[in-house]
Amino acid sequence: NQIFDAISYAKGASVIRMLAAFLGIETFQKGLHYYLTTHQFQNTVTEDLWASLRTMQMGASVDVETMMTSWTKQVGYPVVRVEEITPQNVPGSTTRTFRLTQTRFLRTGVNFDDHAQRWMIPLTISSQKSAHPTKVLMSEDNMTVTIEAGPTDWVYFNSRQTGVYRVYYATPRLVTAIGAGVANKQLLAEDRLGFEFDLYALVLAGVIPTTQLLNIYQYYRDEDDQFVWGSIISHLQALSHVFSEEDWFASFDSFACDLLMPVAKRLGWESRPDDRPNDATLRAQAISFLGELSHPDITAEGIRRFHA
């Protein structure tokens, strides 16, 4: 029965970050300064902040009040389905076109034909050859967008994970191309994390099969970011609890051990002077999960240390 709960603070911070990224940090800071100085020693309402940010856009066309009302006055958040409609095998093509559809994301299932709710979604789209993300405001249930990119380039929606929405890539070659961008680390660490987390969320919602997520993990074998690995381990651990009674669990066990043992070997069992800030946490996560999976080397070393 309280407004100021964990959802309010977490969602509130997320949508403010999303707005700041879409307007630009400098514009957002100027709008915030204008809001504070204009209304000093006064009471305000939410709409006063939106009006101040709109004033500082210097003629830009973003309707801040309408956009933010769609995020603050209704529950939940959306998922955007991305389908490529570019004709394939066009020699020398430098652009790609996508059909986007939005609906509410729910872990209990997603229906892309359900348009009972609609958000004004600030999309930030990066591609393999773009120096800066393309910004597009999605205000309808469906829209098309054209991006500068080569036929086989990766195109990633929600660059730097500033948007409060999930992304479902319905065209398989988009997933493959992004996977290649993950493997060669052309995608930023936060986007490698966001890509994996979106896929896991879509598995839970029944939108994609678990095998699609597991197949994507091949692109993360050379991952070096602790937060990305932490997310992967957490999700594999959750899946292992679901699959533990299945006849084929031994195959899942072997897959997870093969994926994670290089991480455990790289970090070792003992802290080191050259450890990065989060290596200790990742070391504990990797060794703990491999022990839970009864990896023989991890189990033997754990027993040896116990009796030492």
Side-chain angles (χ1 to χ4, degrees):
N1 62 352
Q2 294 189 17
I3 296 177
F4 300 105
D5 57 9
I7 292 177
S8 297
Y9 284 111
K11 184 178 180 180
S14 297
V15 297
I16 287 292
R17 176 175 178 262
M18 176 175 65
L19 177 61
F22 194 69
L23 296 180
I25 297 299
E26 184 177 352
T27 297
F28 181 80
Q29 289 175 337
K30 287 180 178 178
L32 196 59
H33 180 266
Y34 181 83
Y35 166 76
L36 293 171
T37 55
T38 301
H39 300 287
Q40 59 182 327
F41 309 120
Q42 301 176 39
N43 293 325
T44 62
V45 294
T46 303
E47 287 69 24
D48 293 325
L49 175 58
W50 307 150
S52 296
L53 292 169
R54 181 189 60 203
T55 300
M56 289 296 106
Q57 285 188 84
M58 306 300 182
S61 59
V62 178
D63 183 347
V64 176
E65 289 141 295
T66 303
M67 170 183 156
M68 295 307 292
T69 295
S70 74
W71 293 93
T72 61
K73 301 296 185 181
Q74 62 178 339
V75 299
Y77 61 92
V79 55
V80 177
R81 180 176 63 189
V82 180
E83 300 173 274
E84 182 161 9
I85 56 176
T86 310
Q88 294 192 54
N89 302 319
V90 179
S93 175
T94 59
T95 61
R96 309 259 292 278
T97 302
F98 305 89
R99 180 187 295 113
L100 312 180
T101 305
Q102 67 159 296
T103 191
R104 184 181 178 186
F105 177 81
L106 290 168
R107 279 195 175 188
T108 53
V110 174
N111 179 7
F112 284 100
D113 294 322
D114 180 5
H115 300 301
Q117 291 180 254
R118 180 190 298 163
W119 288 262
M120 292 185 69
I121 307 174
L123 302 170
T124 52
I125 310 164
S126 59
S127 64
Q128 190 166 326
K129 292 183 174 64
S130 63
H132 303 285
T134 299
K135 295 183 178 182
V136 179
L137 188 61
M138 183 179 185
S139 57
E140 301 296 332
D141 297 326
N142 303 277
M143 70 175 294
T144 58
V145 61
T146 299
I147 302 296
E148 290 189 11
T152 61
D153 290 351
W154 55 261
V155 178
Y156 187 78
F157 288 71
N158 202 6
S159 178
R160 292 188 177 274
Q161 301 306 119
T162 57
V164 187
Y165 54 90
R166 299 288 182 197
V167 181
Y168 164 44
Y169 298 95
T171 305
R173 66 177 179 272
L174 293 177
V175 177
T176 302
I178 294 172
V182 168
N184 59 30
K185 298 185 180 65
Q186 288 181 335
L187 263 73
L188 299 171
E190 53 261 55
D191 291 336
R192 302 197 300 269
L193 173 62
F195 181 56
E196 189 271 341
F197 214 118
D198 278 353
L199 288 172
Y200 178 71
L202 292 168
V203 167
L204 296 184
V207 177
I208 64 173
T210 307
T211 50
Q212 183 174 338
L213 172 65
L214 298 181
N215 287 335
I216 286 298
Y217 285 148
Q218 65 177 308
Y219 298 109
Y220 286 88
R221 289 188 177 276
D222 294 325
E223 180 58 55
D224 58 5
D225 185 88
Q226 305 99 307
F227 292 105
V228 177
W229 270 121
S231 179
I232 292 172
I233 292 171
S234 175
H235 295 156
L236 283 174
Q237 194 165 27
L239 292 174
S240 75
H241 296 163
V242 175
F243 299 147
S244 60
E245 300 301 321
E246 300 290 343
D247 295 338
W248 42 263
F249 181 70
S251 296
F252 177 88
D253 185 310
S254 177
F255 168 85
C257 288
D258 180 62
L259 182 67
L260 294 177
M261 267 308 289
V263 180
K265 288 181 179 179
R266 174 173 62 84
L267 294 173
W269 285 72
E270 303 288 347
S271 60
R272 298 183 301 226
D274 62 344
D275 273 353
R276 293 175 295 181
N278 295 290
D279 277 347
T281 301
L282 180 56
R283 179 181 292 113
Q285 284 181 298
I287 291 175
S288 175
F289 184 39
L290 286 165
E292 187 177 321
L293 295 174
S294 300
H295 188 283
D297 293 348
I298 296 296
T299 301
E301 178 63 14
I303 292 174
R304 187 193 70 78
R305 287 171 175 266
F306 179 79
H307 291 292

